[in-house]
Amino acid sequence: TFIVKVEDSSTPKKQATKQLSINVNKQTQPLIITTKSLPEGTVGSEYSATLTASGGTTPYSWSLVSGSLPTGLTLSSAGVISGTPTTVGSFTFIVKVEDSSTPKKQATKQLSINVNEQTQPLSITTESLPEGTVGSEYNATLSASGGTTPYTWSLISGSLPTGLTLSSAGVISGTPTTAGNSTFIVKVEDSSTPKKQATKQLSINVN
């Protein structure tokens, strides 16, 4: 804060004074929207995603400037997209973020949300596995239903009979080398985002 004086060129000189001030802010980074993409949604399933930004002066305020969100979803001023989608499709829109500086900084970005049809829960439908015989080739395929194909299979606990392996496609194959009963837990993941998972305990008896 300071006082300035101005004098004119008359005789005698006229003068005037006034107190003024200058506010100096910290240097801030440019305001940008850092959200790269948004997760997919499913009709009838609750959806929530938070937009992110960097730079400028927090807090930020978000708004939708063009296009439309999926039917059933809304964008809050805090940048949260939430609700329950009711319509299948791909929805493209432009969001705007404003910071709290004076004057306000702004940034915009085009984003999209893909809404999929409702799928059945993912479950493993294999109830039991055939027996094997030491020294004889073995082959069995695990099966699942629901979720979004393709599926990815893995062994998460226990062990297969010695000589057998489980492929990511769900095929148990090989040649058993040891007699006995082996119990294990398999997991299947689908291709949705986020991935759905299901597990099941199974066993193979080798004679």
Side-chain angles (χ1 to χ4, degrees), residues 4-204:
V4 294
K5 179 179 76 173
V6 62
E7 284 187 337
D8 74 352
S9 299
S10 63
T11 305
K13 294 180 183 296
K14 295 181 178 71
Q15 296 181 345
T17 60
K18 191 168 188 178
Q19 179 174 294
L20 296 169
S21 64
I22 297 174
N23 188 50
V24 179
N25 298 312
K26 292 181 180 179
Q27 188 177 33
T28 57
Q29 295 299 313
L31 179 62
I32 59 171
I33 295 173
T34 54
T35 299
K36 300 293 184 186
S37 61
L38 290 167
E40 295 184 345
T42 301
V43 168
S45 297
E46 188 174 348
Y47 184 94
S48 181
T50 302
L51 302 174
T52 57
S54 66
T57 304
T58 56
Y60 304 132
S61 179
W62 295 84
S63 60
L64 185 70
V65 294
S66 70
S68 60
L69 294 171
T71 309
L73 300 188
T74 58
L75 170 63
S76 73
S77 60
V80 179
I81 298 174
S82 61
T84 302
T86 60
T87 306
V88 172
S90 183
F91 299 82
T92 300
F93 48 90
I94 295 177
V95 294
K96 179 177 74 175
V97 63
E98 283 188 335
D99 76 348
S100 299
S101 62
T102 304
K104 294 182 181 296
K105 295 182 178 69
Q106 297 181 346
T108 60
K109 190 168 189 177
Q110 178 175 292
L111 294 168
S112 63
I113 296 175
N114 189 49
V115 179
N116 300 310
E117 292 183 6
Q118 189 174 32
T119 56
Q120 295 299 313
L122 180 62
S123 64
I124 296 174
T125 54
T126 299
E127 296 297 336
S128 62
L129 290 166
E131 294 185 343
T133 303
V134 170
S136 297
E137 188 175 348
Y138 183 93
N139 191 290
T141 301
L142 300 174
S143 59
S145 66
T148 303
T149 56
Y151 304 133
T152 301
W153 295 83
S154 60
L155 183 70
I156 58 172
S157 72
S159 59
L160 295 171
T162 307
L164 300 188
T165 59
L166 169 64
S167 74
S168 61
V171 178
I172 299 174
S173 61
T175 302
T177 59
T178 306
N181 188 68
S182 298
T183 300
F184 47 91
I185 296 177
V186 293
K187 179 178 76 173
V188 63
E189 282 189 337
D190 76 349
S191 299
S192 62
T193 303
K195 293 181 182 299
K196 296 182 179 68
Q197 298 181 346
T199 61
K200 192 168 189 177
Q201 179 175 292
L202 295 168
S203 64
I204 296 175

